Amino acid sequence: MQTLFEKIAAREIPAAIVYEDDLVLAIRDINPQAPVHVLIFPKTALPRIAEAKTEDTYLLGHLLMKASEVAATLGLTTGGYRLVINNGANGGETVPHLHVHILGGRQMAWPPG
Ligand code: 5GP
């Protein structure tokens, strides 16, 4: 069965796309937790970072490089931003398809709640 984010990548479910290439897609979060809240994820379903394998190394590097580029495109570089990966139940993961949250436009708190 396809994941939610695979369906979005296949244009079966609509989303506000902010970046796309052959490997990754970046969309606006449907329930934003900051003035800018974008999700960037691989188009192929890797459930979570804990299940990444050595052969995913290039993809994971690409994902982070593109997260940085998307943040810059959205004007977040100067003010700063946060990248978040929620892994598993205690991590707060709700969509089992690896994704990086790009959060910006406000002061972030630490530690996270
Ligand atoms: P997680 O909790 O797994 O780290 O993050 C999942 C994120 O996906 C949440 O921030 C949630 O708001 C977002 N989300 C869930 N369903 C949809 C959807 O249908 N469209 C979009 N754009 N975001 C979604």
Side-chain angles (χ1 to χ4, degrees):
M1 204 176 85
Q2 282 193 313
T3 68
L4 170 66
F5 292 158
E6 283 179 296
K7 290 177 183 169
I8 288 174
R11 307 305 201 265
E12 291 167 19
I13 294 174
I17 294 172
V18 298
Y19 176 78
E20 180 173 26
D21 64 25
D22 288 347
L23 295 177
V24 301
L25 186 70
I27 62 170
R28 301 269 179 190
D29 197 291
I30 204 167
N31 183 24
Q33 301 302 310
V36 178
H37 188 174
V38 165
L39 306 171
I40 185 166
F41 51 84
K43 289 181 169 178
T44 54
L46 171 62
R48 58 193 58 81
I49 192 67
E51 292 176 45
K53 301 200 165 32
T54 303
E55 54 262 35
D56 298 315
T57 299
Y58 177 81
L59 177 63
L60 295 175
H62 184 78
L63 184 66
L64 283 182
M65 290 302 295
K66 292 301 168 182
S68 169
E69 286 181 28
V70 167
T73 301
L74 295 172
L76 299 178
T77 306
T78 301
Y81 56 91
R82 181 168 291 174
L83 302 182
V84 173
I85 298 175
N86 295 325
N87 187 97
N90 279 354
E93 172 200 309
T94 60
V95 176
H97 178 141
L98 175 67
H99 50 282
V100 178
H101 296 257
I102 304 169
L103 295 149
R106 67 167 169 82
Q107 179 65 55
M108 301 294 156
W110 192 264

